[in-house]
Amino acid sequence: MPQTPPASTPAFSRARFKRDVLLCAIINTLVGTFFALQGSPIVRAMVTTHTIGFTVLAVTLTAMWLIKPSQNREIYVYFGAVVAGTMLGLGINFSMRFTREELEWALEEPRHLFRILGLFMVVAGMITIFLYSRIRAARLEAAFHAEQSLAAAQARQLAEAQLKMLQAQIEPHFLFNTLANVQSLIDIAPAEAKRMLMYFNDYLRASLARSRDEHGTLKQECDLLRAYLSILQIRMADRLRFRIDCPAELQDIEFAPMLLQPLVENAICHGLEPKLDGGEIKITARREAGLLKLSVRDNGLGLGKSQGGSGLGLANVQERLTAIYGPAGQLALYENQPVGVIAEITLPCTNPPP
């Protein structure tokens, strides 16, 4: 079972780094503008705020990347990095623009030092809040994507489990019944027994190919159904007729296994077999408004008139459609006119590979 990875400091992202630098520059400019409006020379204010701001940004990002603290210790690493960045930025700022005379003047007027220190702390505090909120937002985003990946993996596991359950429901009794029919036909109708074995071989070959191919095609599904219905046609004789209409341009479309066969099985078991004179099954595929629509039509007993419930695997088919295709995968049942049932699958139309 996939596990959700623990939350940690997000990995380096070039796009996020560019956004951080840009927003840091904007904040530095706004703070520098504020102090310029209070009477400080604009060039000096901008140099100061940008020096301190970018130094704190660099030191904080470097500390988080090197230390990789846990969430409980993260705030302390931020605080230490901001203090270190502020002191380093202070030294760089003084070395760039303070002459000896200016330093002596500043020492004689302590209020200027407090003003500079206050300026630095305001910039550093804004950068700290900004960085910490960015990291938390990135972590929440990473956790959200991890949960989505986990949910997708669980949905795939559920779909695979449902597929195995459907195969376990359909295949054993079908295989045993077919072998029993072949055995009974060998003595009385050897030609029919030979023909049934031929279709049975086609069915096993198509079924094996579908089970091994993770991304099967609609053509493979139709080949499987053609062999399946051919076997049933021999068993039911003239009580079963079928047609499969799948245009050539749709045959290479990717199609998940065991979506149509349960519908055909349901039509046989609950629509045609209980009917004295049997009937016909028609399977059609068409593309409509970017969607693939597949229908299984029968002229059997109809909805609510058959025995044995709502049919084999219909709920599982809908669940698998939702798991594989999301809300776009739908199964609907309609009354066929004048008699019978239409089971229609709608799903996104995946273009055939080049």
Side-chain angles (χ1 to χ4, degrees), residues 25-252:
I26 293 173
I27 293 174
N28 296 338
T29 301
L30 292 175
V31 175
T33 302
F34 171 78
F35 281 99
L37 294 175
Q38 301 301 312
S40 298
I42 186 169
V43 174
R44 178 172 295 183
M46 290 299 175
V47 170
T48 300
T49 55
H50 281 280
T51 300
I52 293 297
F54 281 118
T55 302
V56 171
L57 175 65
V59 172
T60 306
L61 291 178
T62 302
M64 296 301 295
W65 179 67
L66 292 176
I67 299 175
K68 296 180 175 62
S70 64
Q71 293 189 45
N72 293 333
R73 298 178 54 198
E74 199 172 63
I75 189 65
Y76 302 107
V77 175
Y78 264 108
F79 179 76
V82 168
V83 172
T86 301
M87 299 304 294
L88 180 60
L90 179 65
I92 294 174
N93 185 68
F94 278 170
S95 66
M96 285 193 306
R97 71 177 183 82
F98 273 84
T99 63
R100 182 174 179 179
E101 290 77 11
E102 288 177 324
L103 182 58
E104 291 176 351
W105 171 78
L107 292 175
E108 291 176 356
E109 298 288 341
R111 63 186 180 87
H112 293 291
L113 290 179
F114 286 112
R115 186 178 182 184
I116 293 172
L117 182 60
L119 170 65
F120 291 161
M121 294 309 296
V122 167
V123 176
M126 294 182 69
I127 294 297
T128 301
I129 294 172
F130 162 71
L131 285 176
Y132 191 63
S133 64
R134 293 285 294 171
I135 291 294
R136 286 180 62 85
R139 182 182 294 111
L140 290 174
E141 182 180 359
F144 172 74
H145 289 304
E147 288 294 334
Q148 281 190 321
S149 298
L150 177 61
Q154 291 175 335
R156 286 193 297 270
Q157 290 179 342
L158 176 61
E160 291 171 2
Q162 290 173 336
L163 172 60
K164 289 181 174 61
M165 182 175 66
L166 282 172
Q167 289 172 330
Q169 287 177 316
I170 292 176
E171 291 184 354
H173 79 272
F174 171 71
L175 299 181
F176 294 145
N177 287 344
T178 301
L179 291 175
N181 286 139
V182 170
Q183 184 179 12
S184 65
L185 287 172
I186 287 176
D187 294 329
I188 61 174
E192 289 295 291
K194 182 178 180 181
R195 194 158 65 96
M196 181 175 281
L197 277 177
M198 180 186 68
Y199 289 132
F200 187 52
N201 182 55
D202 292 340
Y203 175 82
L204 292 178
R205 184 182 295 110
S207 179
L208 184 61
R210 289 294 273 151
S211 64
R212 289 180 174 178
D213 193 349
E214 184 179 353
H215 303 289
T217 64
L218 186 56
K219 181 180 184 302
Q220 290 177 322
E221 189 75 4
C222 290
D223 290 342
L224 181 68
L225 291 175
R226 187 173 289 106
Y228 174 77
L229 287 168
S230 296
I231 294 171
L232 292 178
Q233 193 173 47
I234 296 175
R235 284 169 47 184
M236 296 176 64
D238 57 357
R239 295 180 62 243
L240 174 62
R241 301 172 300 281
F242 73 89
R243 290 186 294 164
I244 299 177
D245 182 12
C246 181
E249 63 270 16
L250 300 181
Q251 293 185 3
D252 291 331

Side-chain angles (χ1 to χ4, degrees), residues 170 173 228 232 260-270 312:
I170 292 176
H173 79 272
Y228 174 77
L232 292 178
L260 280 179
Q261 187 170 343
L263 305 184
V264 174
E265 176 85 356
N266 188 72
I268 295 288
C269 292
H270 302 285
L312 177 65

